Amino acid sequence: MNATILPSDEKHHPVLLNEILSIISPQNGGTFIDCTFGQGGYSKAILKFPKTKVYALDRDNNSKQFALNLKIKNKNIFFFQNLKFGDLDK
């Protein structure tokens, strides 16, 4: 199975972002796992809230650059692994 991601010059907009944020309540802080990081839309939104931390993973190698950029801006609160979510236990 191949995972795909949009070319870097195209922006992906996370589906139902506001609904997801209302369910997970990052405004209260906490640690979150983004199992389908992609271009980082959900992770970026979560990290805008104070006292949050995100562990992200994605199997697509193209996600690494998006993750690196987010990690530079969010040291010690954003972590990324190039894994498929089925390997979350690793």
Side-chain angles (χ1 to χ4, degrees), residues 5 34 36-41 43-44 47 54-83:
I5 194 165
D34 183 347
T36 55
F37 178 75
Q39 291 185 0
S43 290
K44 287 178 200 172
L47 291 168
V54 174
Y55 290 88
L57 53 121
D58 200 297
R59 69 189 302 167
D60 190 328
N61 285 328
N62 294 323
S63 294
K64 288 181 191 178
Q65 188 58 49
F66 294 104
L68 179 61
N69 292 337
L70 196 54
K71 187 171 180 70
I72 290 168
K73 296 176 185 174
N74 296 280
K75 292 181 183 181
N76 301 318
I77 61 169
F78 176 76
F79 308 91
F80 177 80
Q81 288 290 317
N82 190 218
L83 293 170

Side-chain angles (χ1 to χ4, degrees), residues 22-49:
S22 73
I23 292 168
I24 65 172
S25 303
Q27 67 272 18
N28 298 322
T31 301
F32 301 88
I33 301 172
D34 183 347
C35 292
T36 55
F37 178 75
Q39 291 185 0
Y42 293 106
S43 290
K44 287 178 200 172
I46 293 167
L47 291 168
K48 288 180 182 176
F49 294 92

